[in-house]
Amino acid sequence: MMIFMEKSKCLIVAFLLFTISSCTKDIDLNLNDSDPQIVVEGSITNDGESTVIKLTKTVNFDESNVFPAVENAIVSIIDDLGNSVILTETSPGTYTSSLYTGSSGRTYYLTIEAEGKVLTSVCHLTTAVSFETLTVNEVSSSGGGPGGGNMTGYEVLVAYSDPVGVNNFYRFVEYVNGENKGDIFIYDDRLSDGLTVENSLIKFNRNLNSGDTLRIEMQCIDKAIYTYFNSFENLTGGPQSSSTPANPYSNINGSELGYFSAHTTEVKEFIVP
Amino acid sequence: MKIIKLFFLLLFFSSKTTAQTNWIMSGTITDSLSGETIIGATVAIKENPIIGTASNDYGFYSLSLLEGSFTIVISAFGYHKEEVSIDFKQDKFLDIQLLPEGKMIGEVEINATRSNDNVTSYEMGVERLDLNQIKKIPVLFGEQDIVKTLQLLPGVKSLGEGNGGLYVRGGDNSQNLILLDEAAVYNVNHLLGFFSTFNSDAIKDVTLYKGTAPSEYGGRISSVLDIKMKEGNNQKFHVGGGIGLIASRLNIEGPIVKDKSSFLISGRRTYADLFLKLSSNDAVKSNKLYFYDLNAKFNYKFNSKNHLYVSGYFGRDVISFADRFGINWGNATGTVRWNHIWGSKLFSNTSLIYSDYDYEVKIMRDVDEFSLNSIIKNWNIKQEFQYFRNDKSTFNFGVNSIYHVITPGQVTTSGDSDIIPIELQDRQALENALYFSNERKIGTRWNMNYGLRLTSFSVLGAGDFYSYTDGEISDTASYKSGEIVKTYVNLEPRFNLSYILNEKSSVKVSYTRNTQNLHLITNSTSSTPTDIWISSSNNVKPEIGDQISAGYFRNFSNDQYQFSTEVYYKAMQNQLDLKNGAEIRANEHIENELLVGKGRAYGLELLLKKKTGKFTGWVGYTLSRTEKQIEGINDGNWYAARQDATHDISLVGIFDITKKWSISATWVFNTGNAVTFPSGKYELNGNVEFYYTERNGYRMPTYHRLDLGATRYLKKSEKFESSLSFSIYNAYGRKNAYTIDFEEDPNDATKTKAVMTYLFTFVPSITYNFKF
């Protein structure tokens, strides 16, 4: 719901731009170089899947999209009961453990020693909330958008019952034929504490083809991760983003980029008829 | 308390100095054709031009004279001079009427009245717009706009295309006190800033104080924009209007009782949405996109000593997409004023003022159906006096009390919505001010104005007030209705001094302190209708602005050309910004999302103006720097504010070629706004994301644009006037960047490229104006 409101400004601008017509043009900017930073992408989940921490580095804007892996790091995790593990580098920059998996109620402490730096993070794995239903509707003429009537596509609705009296944070990840589409769908329960919620994963051009597998993963996330993705969405730009861009609020100490998320996970699938 | 004592002592002391036994001439100066009072008309003695005064905001003047015979010269910009010979043996009450230039038969409309007031006056950093000139300046879609015209002056800028904001000498948009007939206007934007809320048909006077504003003004730290509405013609009925590309205007004014009472009603509405109705698509047909403004004023003159004015403004924007989403916002103001003249030296004005601003966002999709609205409003009572002590000294003093109520956000739902309604507590505050100022001439070379404004701002219950430690609530205190939660008292000195070098040139200095207790919170870089206002509180301290400026003023060719240069330095304390990604709407803990810091701005302004003759216009240049330092942003280092632009040039030229044709051109050039661009990129969840190293470390491309205009007067007689205005916005089609985005190169997926969006290139428009 709040996501929709964030997008409302885009909508107005989009509408206005459409009304008065706008054009785009490539532009050559001379952007500064920056020192390479370590980017952490890590998760530990309650579904018995491997714990994976991926370490890469930033490159300059005008370079190719080839992001160097951070190799030979020492990556360890310990929980609040003292269970610990040192992850093994299974491919360059990817550190995993198939035996050390997450469980609800535990808090995980991550330590990374790489390239002379020490990065740390803490994340709590919260109690699971059940992913009740996934509904996908074809919207042939949702109407109204810029250009009117070309907002066709699919509407994806997810439902769950928010537990009363606790702050809950949710993240949904959309995969089409196994590919993460990169959209951020996050919700809190500020306006829906204790209710059965049906949220629409709002996306303006969701084009699916017959036979495609749409997989929606529901995650119950830590507040820090909610903050990370919330700031990520508001800050990292994208067309017509109106905030001053900045790096999102990472929960990694020692680096500005990336996150370490302990979360529950539940998946539902839909095959486009 | 000590401060208050001191304040009265000063006032008492200043007025105690013994006066000579002079006779007093006083009265009201009006336009002979419309009966409108004239602001700032000069009343001087021909035999001794040093003695003189000027009419106040209501056209009233008072001048002390020794016994004898004098010729009084009354002049005002845009009016024919009037001379009256008087033999003074007693106090004299004299109302004066001035004939506007260009109204005599066979006369070409040329501003001829020249004056060196700009040199001799203590005022600096003050811009008064000539409303006749505004009509001739080319603008987007031909919609005359005072805000857009102000942006052409040095020290005043916008954030580029479609941004109606005013950024004055490095201040933020929300730090301008914008008054329409004394009522605060919180949001001056229509359609997200492509147009402003002021319909120039209804406007009589526009004054912008970039530097030191008189002590009667207070509450914002950057500038004061004082806009006064016309009273309405008390001699004859007139209907005027205009038909433009996107909007039409209609203006009706006339006497209710001739010479005593008149009214004015002025409206404007856009009709771009009517074109949507032509669409064959039902969804498009049901979209809405329009705004309107309605100004109304009424006045009644009981006698020469009592005058009542009632005025109001109402404007609204409505945007909605079919049955999905809607947003509307608007301002409303109302002012009742009573002028009373006590004797011949003391002028009093009592005002009762109301103003509000609200917005509503609606989502109309069954399960998510809800609406969110937010309101800020105030009731304001003001008592002010002007004491014309003698021809060398005038006092202004008064009291002002404002009751603010802010409804930060309410979420209401209906039907089967699965959203929980939220109602945040209203916030109340009482703002009081006591002020005085003295305008004084010392000898023949010094002119000064000094004053003090004492303000108190009390946050009142009822409500729960939170304290925060390390981002978490550490304490909650509940207050009953009317209980004081926190009071801030501030003393604001104001000072202006000019030293006249000779008739043609002067040097001036000024200093001002202002405080601001209402803060606009925005999470985007441009202003949007859903930005919210919060008041100072137990967590939020008043913003404080100090500005010092100095200038040199010089006129050439018998006052035909006016040149001025000013330098300023402005320091701003308790500046607010939001944490990244903070939720501002319907968030009861918004104060926990704030970052606090300071700002500084300094610059040099040059302005060469030609106000009279067939050719009028100006050239302005600003060299400036505006920076902020906020804990939690840019590692706590100083960074350029978004409105920072190193160089800013504006050229405005209007040429009245013949009685039938007038042409105009404006050219603007400025360094691009400070902006944050990525300095690297990385991969996350399979997507390429950007890495930022420095806040506002880059610049948008240089902005420049030429606009051309022409006016053809079709008919001009006593009974009917009409004209056609043509304009071309961005005549040479410069592609000015509106936004710059970064995206994957479609030709090479391993690369990333920058793409800019630009809006208007070469937008012609035509407007038909009439008056009968």
Side-chain angles (χ1 to χ4, degrees):
Chain A
M1 197 276 312
M2 281 300 146
I3 301 291
F4 202 124
M5 296 200 8
E6 292 308 328
K7 286 192 174 145
S8 64
K9 158 99 187 192
C10 295
L11 255 177
I12 303 167
V13 174
F15 188 28
L16 256 170
L17 295 194
F18 179 75
T19 316
I20 58 194
S21 95
S22 67
C23 311
T24 57
K25 171 184 133 171
D26 288 0
I27 182 168
D28 203 12
L29 296 170
N30 190 13
L31 298 174
N32 298 339
D33 289 351
S34 57
D35 294 336
Q37 298 286 313
I38 297 175
V39 182
V40 180
E41 199 179 331
S43 61
I44 179 162
T45 60
N46 70 337
D47 62 351
E49 291 289 317
S50 298
T51 297
V52 181
I53 307 289
K54 210 176 142 192
L55 303 179
T56 52
K57 279 200 280 189
T58 60
V59 298
N60 288 327
F61 187 85
D62 50 10
E63 291 178 58
S64 284
N65 292 339
V66 177
F67 302 96
V70 178
E71 297 178 60
N72 304 319
I74 302 167
V75 181
S76 61
I77 298 176
I78 183 164
D79 71 9
D80 51 354
L81 296 178
N83 305 311
S84 68
V85 67
I86 292 176
L87 305 183
T88 43
E89 188 171 4
T90 47
S91 65
T94 303
Y95 301 82
T96 61
S97 166
S98 54
L99 299 172
Y100 193 87
T101 58
S103 46
S104 287
R106 293 281 69 76
T107 300
Y108 295 92
Y109 299 85
L110 170 73
T111 307
I112 298 163
E113 289 172 47
E115 303 189 341
K117 288 180 194 153
V118 179
L119 279 56
T120 60
S121 182
V122 186
C123 199
H124 180 72
L125 210 162
T126 184
T127 311
V129 173
S130 168
F131 186 177
E132 287 167 7
T133 59
L134 167 68
T135 314
V136 180
N137 298 319
E138 189 175 355
V139 212
S140 54
S141 177
S142 60
N150 67 0
M151 251 173 67
T152 56
Y154 289 82
E155 176 184 54
V156 175
L157 300 165
V158 293
Y160 53 88
S161 297
D162 183 77
V164 71
V166 276
N167 283 340
N168 296 90
F169 303 95
Y170 307 94
R171 174 179 174 221
F172 290 85
V173 187
E174 179 176 335
Y175 302 87
V176 176
N177 301 327
E179 189 192 344
N180 182 345
K181 300 309 280 182
D183 301 283
I184 296 170
F185 304 107
I186 47 161
Y187 304 90
D188 63 2
D189 59 356
R190 199 163 70 92
L191 299 180
S192 56
D193 186 38
L195 295 184
T196 296
V197 183
E198 186 169 44
N199 279 319
S200 174
L201 307 185
I202 294 184
K203 181 172 175 176
F204 291 114
N205 285 308
R206 185 182 273 116
N207 293 314
L208 299 174
N209 298 314
S210 182
D212 282 353
T213 303
L214 178 76
R215 184 156 66 98
I216 303 292
E217 179 190 0
M218 174 177 173
Q219 301 178 351
C220 297
I221 55 177
D222 187 63
K223 187 182 180 182
I225 296 300
Y226 176 84
T227 305
Y228 174 77
F229 282 106
N230 191 36
S231 61
F232 195 93
E233 176 176 76
N234 286 323
L235 295 168
T236 49
Q240 284 140 23
S241 168
S242 57
S243 309
T244 300
N247 300 320
Y249 287 121
S250 169
N251 68 339
I252 311 285
N253 297 314
S255 173
E256 291 176 274
L257 303 171
Y259 65 93
F260 169 55
S261 175
H263 57 257
T264 71
T265 174
E266 189 176 348
V267 168
K268 287 196 186 294
E269 285 189 346
F270 176 84
I271 294 167
V272 181
Chain B
M1 270 323 283
K2 252 187 194 165
I3 292 166
I4 298 170
K5 260 190 208 161
L6 183 77
F7 185 86
F8 277 110
L9 205 71
L10 258 169
L11 197 65
F12 179 69
F13 173 74
S14 333
S15 47
K16 218 179 100 184
T17 37
T18 46
Q20 287 178 312
T21 48
N22 286 348
W23 299 119
I24 297 147
M25 174 177 167
S26 65
T28 304
I29 302 171
T30 54
D31 179 306
S32 64
L33 297 180
S34 68
E36 294 266 350
T37 55
I38 301 172
I39 301 168
T42 314
V43 182
I45 306 297
K46 202 174 186 178
E47 291 79 4
N48 186 0
I50 288 165
I51 299 175
T53 186
S55 60
N56 72 6
D57 289 351
Y58 303 91
F60 177 77
Y61 75 96
S62 170
L63 183 62
S64 301
L65 294 164
L66 292 169
E67 203 160 292
S69 290
F70 300 106
T71 307
I72 313 283
V73 185
I74 306 102
S75 59
F77 185 71
Y79 289 90
H80 289 282
K81 224 176 243 185
E82 193 74 32
E83 294 193 2
V84 191
S85 295
I86 292 171
D87 192 18
F88 274 99
K89 291 197 182 90
Q90 61 192 25
D91 283 359
K92 177 127 185 114
F93 189 82
L94 184 68
D95 285 344
I96 298 158
Q97 279 151 15
L98 296 181
L99 181 71
E101 286 174 348
K103 295 291 175 183
M104 282 198 291
I105 296 146
E107 187 190 8
V108 182
E109 189 167 352
I110 292 172
N111 295 316
T113 316
R114 293 181 193 173
S115 123
N116 67 345
D117 285 357
N118 63 311
V119 168
T120 56
S121 148
Y122 60 80
E123 282 187 339
M124 61 184 297
V126 180
E127 304 288 353
R128 291 196 164 77
L129 285 189
D130 175 0
L131 284 140
N132 285 319
Q133 220 170 29
I134 292 181
K135 288 178 190 152
K136 295 171 186 164
I137 291 175
V139 281
L140 184 61
F141 297 128
E143 278 302 297
Q144 299 163 16
D145 198 318
I146 56 176
V147 172
K148 296 278 186 293
T149 308
L150 287 167
Q151 288 167 351
L152 296 170
L153 292 162
V156 185
K157 74 179 298 276
S158 74
L159 283 187
E161 221 102 58
N163 188 296
L166 279 178
Y167 296 81
V168 182
R169 288 187 171 173
D172 274 329
N173 196 19
S174 60
Q175 292 168 339
N176 306 310
L177 179 67
I178 299 173
L179 301 173
L180 180 64
D181 271 359
E182 293 186 63
V185 177
Y186 294 98
N187 186 332
V188 298
N189 291 340
H190 276 314
L191 285 183
L192 305 161
F194 288 96
F195 306 97
S196 86
T197 53
F198 304 108
N199 174 0
S200 40
D201 280 355
I203 307 297
K204 171 176 176 165
D205 185 79
V206 177
T207 306
L208 175 72
Y209 298 92
K210 298 185 290 186
T212 303
S215 56
E216 67 200 76
Y217 299 104
R220 300 287 188 282
I221 64 167
S222 179
S223 77
V224 177
L225 176 59
D226 190 3
I227 298 167
K228 297 183 181 84
M229 275 166 60
K230 281 182 188 164
E231 280 119 46
N233 196 313
N234 69 11
Q235 302 293 313
K236 264 186 193 164
F237 268 101
H238 281 295
V239 177
I243 298 162
L245 273 190
I246 63 144
S248 276
R249 297 170 281 114
L250 189 69
N251 184 46
I252 305 167
E253 57 182 321
I256 296 172
V257 180
K258 205 180 165 190
D259 292 325
K260 270 183 171 284
S261 172
S262 63
F263 75 95
L264 169 98
I265 296 170
S266 190
R268 168 170 73 159
R269 191 196 188 278
T270 59
Y271 37 63
D273 56 327
L274 300 181
F275 296 115
L276 299 174
K277 300 268 185 290
L278 302 174
S279 169
S280 56
N281 185 316
D282 284 343
V284 174
K285 263 188 198 172
S286 58
N287 289 348
K288 285 182 189 152
L289 172 74
Y290 66 87
F291 69 79
Y292 62 85
D293 292 302
L294 187 67
N295 293 72
K297 193 158 177 175
F298 158 83
N299 77 90
Y300 191 87
K301 192 173 182 179
F302 294 92
N303 49 45
S304 58
K305 305 246 169 197
N306 289 288
H307 204 148
L308 179 78
Y309 300 89
V310 181
S311 57
Y313 164 78
F314 190 78
R316 200 137 205 101
D317 277 67
V318 179
I319 297 176
S320 84
F321 297 111
D323 49 355
R324 297 215 131 213
F325 166 78
I327 177 166
N328 67 79
W329 71 93
N331 296 283
T333 73
T335 311
V336 178
R337 285 182 288 188
W338 172 49
N339 288 176
H340 180 72
I341 297 161
W342 304 80
S344 51
K345 285 184 160 190
L346 186 65
F347 179 91
S348 133
N349 177 55
T350 311
S351 303
L352 289 170
I353 307 153
Y354 171 81
S355 71
D356 75 26
Y357 172 74
D358 75 286
Y359 74 79
E360 182 184 38
V361 179
K362 272 193 257 186
I363 304 287
M364 294 161 280
R365 194 188 135 268
D366 35 318
V367 290
D368 280 346
E369 181 159 327
F370 79 102
S371 77
L372 181 147
N373 70 336
S374 172
I375 311 165
I376 177 166
K377 55 190 165 192
N378 73 67
W379 287 268
N380 183 348
I381 179 164
K382 202 168 158 188
Q383 174 59 54
E384 54 188 350
F385 294 98
Q386 222 170 350
Y387 177 66
F388 297 84
R389 191 162 162 265
N390 55 41
D391 71 294
K392 297 211 164 25
S393 176
T394 303
F395 289 89
N396 278 287
F397 51 98
V399 289
N400 181 200
S401 200
I402 309 174
Y403 183 66
H404 300 277
V405 178
I406 301 174
T407 304
Q410 284 171 327
V411 176
T412 47
T413 60
S414 61
D416 50 0
S417 172
D418 61 8
I419 310 275
I420 298 175
I422 288 191
E423 193 164 332
L424 300 191
Q425 292 174 343
D426 281 0
R427 286 291 187 237
Q428 299 86 5
L430 186 65
E431 186 172 3
N432 293 306
L434 189 64
Y435 63 86
F436 104 96
S437 67
N438 179 213
E439 195 181 316
R440 182 176 287 242
K441 291 176 198 162
I442 300 161
T444 54
R445 290 192 180 267
W446 297 91
N447 279 333
M448 66 189 290
N449 184 331
Y450 60 94
L452 270 180
R453 183 179 175 91
L454 178 69
T455 61
S456 80
F457 188 88
S458 302
V459 185
L460 303 176
D464 299 322
F465 290 81
Y466 305 101
S467 302
Y468 304 95
T469 314
D470 301 330
E472 300 294 330
I473 306 168
S474 56
D475 190 28
T476 307
S478 294
Y479 291 84
K480 290 196 207 64
S481 176
E483 264 187 298
I484 294 176
V485 179
K486 178 88 192 172
T487 298
Y488 292 100
V489 177
N490 278 291
L491 191 63
E492 306 173 10
R494 315 277 168 93
F495 178 74
N496 273 296
L497 178 69
S498 74
Y499 177 72
I500 302 165
L501 299 166
N502 54 47
E503 273 189 357
K504 288 177 193 153
S505 61
S506 64
V507 286
K508 306 182 186 186
V509 287
S510 84
Y511 165 74
T512 183
R513 165 169 279 207
N514 282 282
T515 58
Q516 177 163 351
N517 286 290
L518 293 175
H519 320 280
L520 188 71
I521 305 300
T522 171
N523 59 1
S524 67
T525 44
S526 55
S527 68
T528 72
T530 54
D531 293 341
I532 69 154
W533 290 90
I534 62 168
S535 78
S536 295
S537 71
N538 52 324
N539 297 308
V540 181
K541 291 197 183 105
E543 295 175 53
I544 298 174
D546 290 286
Q547 191 190 151
I548 181 157
S549 50
Y552 172 70
F553 292 71
R554 171 87 160 90
N555 285 5
F556 297 95
S557 309
N558 286 325
D559 301 323
Q560 208 173 16
Y561 295 92
Q562 304 180 342
F563 170 77
S564 64
T565 173
E566 296 189 26
V567 287
Y568 65 88
Y569 182 88
K570 194 185 228 170
M572 296 165 275
Q573 301 172 44
N574 302 326
Q575 300 298 288
L576 300 176
D577 205 326
L578 269 181
K579 286 181 187 164
N580 290 342
E583 177 59 68
I584 65 167
R585 282 153 231 159
N587 181 357
E588 104 186 273
H589 297 293
I590 183 96
E591 290 175 4
N592 193 25
E593 308 273 7
L594 299 175
L595 301 171
V596 186
K598 54 190 176 179
R600 64 184 179 203
Y602 45 93
L604 164 77
E605 297 169 2
L606 303 174
L607 179 63
L608 177 68
K609 225 181 205 178
K610 185 170 182 294
K611 281 183 83 180
T612 58
K614 279 193 163 191
F615 181 81
T616 56
W618 68 84
V619 186
Y621 170 75
T622 314
L623 174 70
S624 67
R625 182 91 180 134
T626 303
E627 295 167 305
K628 288 187 176 183
Q629 183 191 40
I630 290 172
E631 190 91 12
I633 297 178
N634 205 37
D635 298 328
N637 296 318
W638 284 97
Y639 62 93
R642 187 167 153 86
Q643 65 266 32
D644 178 67
T646 315
H647 304 281
D648 187 309
I649 301 171
S650 342
L651 285 170
V652 177
I654 298 163
F655 187 37
D656 294 307
I657 312 169
T658 62
K659 266 192 257 181
K660 299 217 154 151
W661 280 100
S662 144
I663 55 168
S664 61
T666 61
W667 185 70
V668 293
F669 173 97
N670 63 263
T671 310
N673 296 322
V675 68
T676 306
F677 287 149
S679 293
K681 54 187 176 180
Y682 59 100
E683 192 180 35
L684 196 87
N685 293 327
N687 292 314
V688 175
E689 307 293 350
F690 300 113
Y691 171 50
Y692 301 95
T693 51
E694 196 186 354
R695 171 72 68 115
N696 291 352
Y698 292 91
R699 292 279 162 182
M700 291 291 273
T702 302
Y703 184 99
H704 55 94
R705 195 187 78 228
L706 174 75
D707 303 336
L708 300 172
T711 305
R712 167 84 161 92
Y713 301 97
L714 300 172
K715 204 171 176 185
K716 193 165 189 181
S717 71
E718 277 285 293
K719 294 225 167 74
F720 189 81
E721 283 176 27
S722 67
S723 65
L724 271 176
S725 297
F726 308 91
S727 72
I728 298 168
Y729 183 88
N730 199 354
Y732 56 73
R734 160 78 179 174
K735 290 168 182 161
N736 285 308
Y738 177 65
T739 55
I740 290 180
D741 297 308
F742 301 92
E743 57 187 47
E744 188 179 280
D745 191 336
N747 302 321
D748 180 1
T750 65
K751 292 278 186 185
T752 315
K753 63 170 190 170
V755 178
M756 77 169 205
T757 302
Y758 58 94
L759 301 179
F760 315 98
T761 47
F762 201 80
V763 184
S765 72
I766 179 165
T767 310
Y768 173 73
N769 291 301
F770 63 92
K771 188 181 178 186
F772 57 84

